[in-house]
Amino acid sequence: MKWKIEVSYKPETPDAIGQGILQDIADLGLTGVESVHTVQIYWIEGDINSHTIERIGAELLADPVTQNYVYSRSDNHTPKQGDGSVWTIEVRLKPGVTDAVGDSVLKGLRDMGVPDVQTAQTGQKYRIHGDLDQPKLEMIAQQLLANDVIQIFEIWQG
C-alpha cells in the first residue's frame, strides 16, 4: 500500500521558505501573489497500516512544536479542485533520480523498527494564494521551484 504524508508548518509558525519564494516571485516581476505556503511530501510504500503511518508522521517526519502532518492513501492521485485564488504546485523527482532524503527516511524507518517499507520518496507542495493564471504558474514552477533536468511538477487549482 502506498501512503502520502504531508508535513506543513502550524499556522502560528512562520514559513520562511514560503516567504522567500514570495519574494522571488516578486523579483520575477509577477504581481498578484498574496502568500506562499510550503509542504513537505513523503510517499511511503509498503505493508504498513494507518497506525504505523501515524507513528511515522509523529515520531519521524514532523516536529510536534512547529509542524502538523496529515496522511492519506496514495493509490489514486486526483488533485482537488477548489478556490480560484489558491493554486497548488507539486514538485517531485523524476523516476530513476536518486532521492537522498527518501533514502534517509528509509533508514529512519528501519531504526524505528518498521521493516516492511519498500520505498520512501519525497517532494514539495507549494500553495500559492493570489490572482494568477496558468502561464504565470508555469513560469514560477520552471524558474523557481523545479529543476526540469531531475524534477517534474504538476499544477492545479485548489
Side-chain angles (χ1 to χ4, degrees):
M1 180 174 304
K2 193 167 189 176
W3 296 88
K4 183 177 186 179
I5 302 174
E6 299 185 16
V7 179
S8 59
Y9 290 106
K10 291 182 176 182
E12 64 273 12
T13 303
D15 183 347
I17 295 168
Q19 292 170 353
I21 292 168
L22 181 63
Q23 182 58 54
D24 291 341
I25 291 169
D27 291 346
L28 284 177
L30 299 177
T31 59
V33 179
E34 299 165 16
S35 64
V36 177
H37 300 281
T38 60
V39 178
Q40 183 65 38
I41 306 171
Y42 302 89
W43 291 275
I44 311 279
E45 187 170 9
D47 187 21
I48 47 180
N49 59 31
S50 60
H51 173 70
T52 303
I53 285 295
E54 179 77 34
R55 189 171 155 238
I56 292 167
E59 296 178 22
L60 180 64
L61 301 179
D63 174 352
V65 175
T66 62
Q67 296 175 316
N68 292 317
Y69 67 93
V70 296
Y71 61 89
S72 61
R73 288 188 178 169
S74 181
D75 301 331
N76 296 321
H77 174 65
T78 305
K80 298 180 223 169
Q81 295 298 315
D83 183 354
S85 67
V86 180
W87 292 86
T88 300
I89 300 175
E90 194 171 280
V91 179
R92 61 187 167 279
L93 292 169
K94 289 181 177 180
V97 175
T98 300
D99 187 341
V101 176
D103 292 345
S104 295
V105 169
L106 278 175
K107 182 185 179 321
L109 293 171
R110 289 188 193 101
D111 291 347
M112 287 177 65
V114 180
D116 297 328
V117 175
Q118 284 80 43
T119 63
Q121 298 170 316
T122 61
Q124 297 78 34
K125 180 185 280 189
Y126 303 91
R127 307 262 304 145
I128 302 174
H129 301 254
D131 183 23
L132 292 162
D133 58 19
Q134 193 75 20
K136 287 181 182 177
L137 288 157
E138 288 183 18
M139 175 189 277
I140 291 167
Q142 291 170 343
Q143 294 190 21
L144 299 176
L145 305 179
N147 175 345
D148 66 352
V149 173
I150 60 170
Q151 295 173 310
I152 57 174
F153 63 88
E154 185 175 3
I155 300 170
W156 67 88
Q157 201 168 19

